[in-house]
Amino acid sequence: MAAEVILSTRDLGKRYKARWAVRHVNLEVRRGDIFGFLGPNGAGKSTSIRMILSLVRPTEGEITIFGHSLRSHRGLALRRVGGIVEKPDFYLYLSAIRNLELVGALTGGVTPSRIGEVLHMVGLGERGRDTVKTYSHGMKQRLGIAQALLSDPDLVVLDEPTNGLDPQGMKEVRELIRTLAKDHQKTIILSSHLLHEVEQVANRMAVISNGELVVQGGVEELLHGTETVVSFRASPKRSFLAVCKKARGFVEKVVEQDGAFRVTMNAGYVPELLRRLVNARVEVTSVEPRRSLEEFFLSITESAQVR
């Protein structure tokens, strides 16, 4: 049985004068999801997130959260929601604890124990009394997530939480997101243009391009059965290309790049292609399937732009 839908949008749209930033966006986020909301910069992700968090009023459409209409029951709809949009801001000369106290005061106050708990959750338990100006960019991002967790929400909305981070910072945020979902039973909407990051943590996703929803569903479901890009390192070149040319029934395209051959093909035929290469005395030194959410994303957004 499918999990409960806790957030849905119906024909959601936002217009600025004559330009539609978002239009006809229909999302379904289920309890327990890590839901990747993907799209290139300027696609409409942040505008959609702002509408979901009631920071921007929609021009058209409806948003329902935990069974409550955001338009008519805003307080009930957002009571169990926490989030950050783009870059979180803090008073840099104050400590992390004091910053969280000030944020908590806006909603009636927060206990010291809860502040300590969320700081520990994001890995800042030992740095809570330090001023935020001493924090690295990655620590500030994690403090922003702590801010979103203050009210112990069931749904956490994170807009580009790894933006500007180095690989280690990205890994820390990725592990934090997994922990929030698994150990703390949070449902998470993760907005990002960093597709490989989302692929590693999300179980469901939606892709937006030019303000319109392109595709939505389970990550595995959407990637299953699609063509694979396989990277081969092989020689001699002429023999390799000759074998691929004769395999046009399952090999669609071959591109030479950075000393390797990127072969677009049906994934189920990789063993057959390898057999043919060996029989043709082609020396294959490496085979690396490269089918990923990024390849999928590029293919469908390019199709959307053509339309």
Side-chain angles (χ1 to χ4, degrees):
M1 188 172 70
E4 173 195 3
V5 175
I6 62 174
L7 181 144
S8 65
T9 69
R10 182 170 59 84
D11 291 330
L12 187 63
K14 179 63 180 178
R15 183 177 61 199
Y16 294 99
K17 296 183 179 179
R19 183 182 69 88
W20 285 93
V22 172
R23 196 166 197 190
H24 304 313
V25 169
N26 297 284
L27 300 175
E28 278 196 357
V29 179
R30 302 169 186 170
R31 185 177 297 278
D33 278 347
I34 300 179
F35 187 91
F37 189 39
L38 307 173
N41 290 327
K45 300 187 304 297
S46 290
T47 299
S48 299
I49 294 297
R50 288 177 181 276
M51 288 190 283
I52 289 170
L53 294 176
S54 197
L55 300 174
V56 171
R57 186 185 299 275
T59 303
E60 63 181 20
E62 292 288 336
I63 302 171
T64 303
I65 307 176
F66 295 110
H68 301 290
S69 167
L70 188 61
R71 187 184 302 273
S72 58
H73 297 90
R74 179 179 180 274
L76 288 172
L78 294 177
R79 186 173 57 185
R80 296 156 62 189
V81 179
I84 58 171
V85 180
E86 296 177 336
K87 178 178 173 292
D89 290 320
F90 305 101
Y91 294 105
L92 298 181
Y93 58 90
L94 297 179
S95 69
I97 291 175
R98 184 57 182 150
N99 269 280
L100 294 181
E101 287 174 344
L102 292 173
V103 172
L106 298 175
T107 57
V110 61
T111 64
S113 62
R114 179 59 186 169
I115 290 176
E117 183 179 355
V118 297
L119 286 174
H120 178 74
M121 287 168 64
V122 302
L124 296 175
E126 302 299 319
R127 298 291 304 271
R129 298 191 182 281
D130 295 347
T131 58
V132 177
K133 68 181 179 181
T134 66
Y135 280 18
S136 67
H137 181 55
M139 293 170 67
K140 291 174 184 173
Q141 290 294 93
R142 283 186 278 142
L143 182 57
I145 297 174
Q147 177 180 305
L149 295 171
L150 269 180
S151 62
D152 196 16
D154 293 313
L155 173 63
V156 181
V157 183
L158 304 176
D159 185 25
E160 301 276 6
T162 62
N163 198 22
L165 297 184
D166 60 20
Q168 180 60 34
M170 290 181 183
K171 180 182 177 183
E172 291 171 356
V173 171
R174 186 167 65 241
E175 291 174 349
L176 172 58
I177 289 170
R178 289 197 188 102
T179 299
L180 292 175
K182 182 179 179 180
D183 297 342
H184 300 278
Q185 289 76 55
K186 306 297 183 187
T187 300
I188 296 170
I189 299 177
L190 172 62
S191 164
S192 182
H193 66 280
L194 300 174
L195 308 178
H196 61 285
E197 287 297 308
V198 172
E199 184 178 14
Q200 293 182 67
V201 296
N203 65 301
R204 297 185 67 246
M205 69 174 188
V207 178
I208 188 172
S209 181
N210 296 321
E212 296 191 8
L213 193 67
V214 179
V215 70
Q216 178 175 210
V219 171
E220 291 298 326
E221 170 194 352
L222 292 172
L223 293 179
H224 179 71
T226 56
E227 288 183 329
T228 297
V229 177
V230 184
S231 177
F232 289 86
R233 291 189 179 274
S235 64
K237 173 181 175 179
R238 180 177 296 180
S239 299
F240 179 87
L241 294 176
V243 171
C244 290
K245 185 176 182 179
K246 291 180 181 179
R248 285 303 183 189
F250 54 86
V251 171
E252 180 179 323
K253 183 172 64 174
V254 180
V255 176
E256 189 174 2
Q257 185 179 62
D258 298 327
F261 299 100
R262 290 172 57 88
V263 181
T264 303
M265 63 183 296
N266 186 304
Y269 284 90
V270 172
E272 172 63 17
L273 181 59
L274 283 171
R275 184 186 66 79
R276 296 188 186 190
L277 290 169
V278 170
N279 289 341
R281 299 182 182 276
V282 175
E283 182 180 356
V284 179
T285 56
S286 71
V287 181
E288 181 183 359
R290 301 182 66 86
R291 189 65 178 110
S292 67
L293 187 55
E294 183 166 9
E295 300 282 353
F296 178 78
F297 170 83
L298 290 174
S299 67
I300 61 177
T301 52
E302 286 169 2
S303 298
Q305 288 169 1
V306 169
R307 290 184 318 205

